[in-house]
Amino acid sequence: MNSQWALDRAREGLLAGVDEAGRGPLAGPVVAAAVILDPRRRIRGIRDSKQLGEQARRHLAGKIRSVALAWSVAWADVEEIDTLNILEATHLAMRRALLGLRVRPAHVKVDGNRCPSFAGLALGCSFEAIVGGDRLEQCISAASILAKSTRDHMMTALDTIYPHYGLAKHKGYGTAMHYRALARWGASPIHRRSFAPVRLALEGRPASWPGA
């Protein structure tokens, strides 16, 4: 049997979901995940990561890693976010995650209203952007869980290096605690200098928390 023919037949019907976590925070990387679920092994409880508590996300992330046909997590760091802008950095992380899959899918569903450019990557699959896909498509929900749980772990680790900001609590998002820390301590190396509250803190005129 031709090995390429066998590989093509095995790929038929394989569906990957792609999602990100961390577009909005003032600090830390943006993380993306790609997941190909095994249709023969259902994982109960998978849904949009924003609808799950932290403990449930950790539990489901472990199940996804052990049961999925393939999964991959990647990110773009703060320097890439500030250089490219957050949308392009998010798309870069998504491309990296998809390229990290050990199995190539036939079709990819991406959460959002547009797909990253995969030109020149020779992936040989079709792509589809789905608004609200993390609520509608289980493969995207699984990707959102992996991306969110991975990023939360990264931010908790960064909290031990930069303890003044409360990163383990708010994961870099713009909370009142975070704004107060920026006003007192200024920006750290992991803060996104292209984001207005961070830029203002660097200029010595920190912004007020919007909810104040």
Side-chain angles (χ1 to χ4, degrees):
M1 181 184 294
N2 181 277
S3 59
Q4 185 59 51
W5 185 91
L7 177 61
D8 291 341
R9 298 292 75 74
R11 287 181 62 240
E12 283 183 356
L14 287 185
L15 176 66
V18 177
D19 200 4
E20 54 74 29
R23 281 185 63 171
L26 306 179
V30 59
V31 177
V35 177
I36 301 175
L37 292 173
D38 186 342
R40 301 164 301 178
R41 304 180 69 184
R42 182 182 176 189
I43 305 173
R44 294 184 181 277
I46 289 182
R47 65 192 71 176
D48 177 10
S49 64
K50 294 185 288 295
Q51 299 175 351
L52 297 166
E54 188 169 352
Q55 185 174 354
R57 275 197 304 270
R58 284 200 305 267
H59 171 73
L60 285 168
K63 292 285 291 183
I64 292 164
R65 289 187 179 97
S66 64
V67 169
L69 288 175
W71 61 270
S72 173
V73 177
W75 55 87
D77 61 26
V78 171
E79 290 78 12
E80 290 169 321
I81 291 169
D82 288 337
T83 299
L84 299 173
N85 74 48
I86 184 59
L87 176 60
E88 291 303 321
T90 299
H91 285 178
L92 175 61
M94 287 180 169
R95 288 194 293 271
R96 288 170 172 167
L98 192 55
L99 285 169
L101 290 172
R102 64 180 181 83
V103 177
R104 290 287 178 259
H107 186 64
V108 178
K109 295 187 175 185
V110 181
D111 183 56
N113 59 5
R114 59 184 290 190
C115 292
S117 171
F118 295 103
L121 298 184
L123 292 170
C125 52
S126 55
F127 299 90
E128 178 183 5
I130 302 176
V131 175
D134 49 3
R135 300 188 308 274
L136 301 172
E137 299 285 345
Q138 193 172 60
C139 60
I140 299 179
S141 298
S144 78
I145 291 169
L146 281 193
K148 173 65 173 168
S149 61
T150 298
R151 189 177 187 279
D152 284 356
H153 179 76
M154 295 170 75
M155 296 308 294
T156 299
L158 286 169
D159 182 68
T160 65
I161 302 171
Y162 306 102
H164 300 309
Y165 301 94
L167 299 172
K169 293 182 179 180
H170 52 65
K171 307 301 188 290
Y173 282 88
T175 64
M177 170 193 284
H178 200 173
Y179 271 72
R180 288 194 299 268
L182 275 173
R184 181 174 181 184
W185 301 103
S188 76
I190 61 163
H191 277 93
R192 301 174 180 180
R193 281 147 173 74
S194 55
F195 282 40
V198 179
R199 185 171 64 250
L200 291 170
L202 287 167
E203 294 171 357
R205 48 192 186 102
S208 299
W209 183 55

